[in-house]
Amino acid sequence: MKPLIGFLIAALVLAACGVDGEPVQPTVSAGVGVSSGGSVHTRGNVGLHQGPISLYLGI
């Protein structure tokens, strides 16, 4: 259920780009890391940056 909520929030943020003006290009980043124990960790972020305000959601 939590991944679904995170996906819905991310979709709403992306859908709101440009509602009251020109569209804002979202920023997307992803990464993969390996710990010293050999386990693999993945991460991802999607976000918006407009003036002094930034909003990023990590997955």
Side-chain angles (χ1 to χ4, degrees), residues 6-54:
F7 175 76
L8 290 175
I9 290 172
L12 288 173
V13 168
L14 292 176
C17 294
V19 169
D20 60 348
E22 292 188 29
V24 176
Q25 186 72 27
T27 303
V28 179
S29 67
V32 177
V34 180
S35 70
S36 60
S39 61
V40 177
H41 303 280
T42 59
R43 64 175 176 81
N45 292 316
V46 63
L48 301 170
H49 179 75
Q50 182 69 25
I53 300 172
S54 296

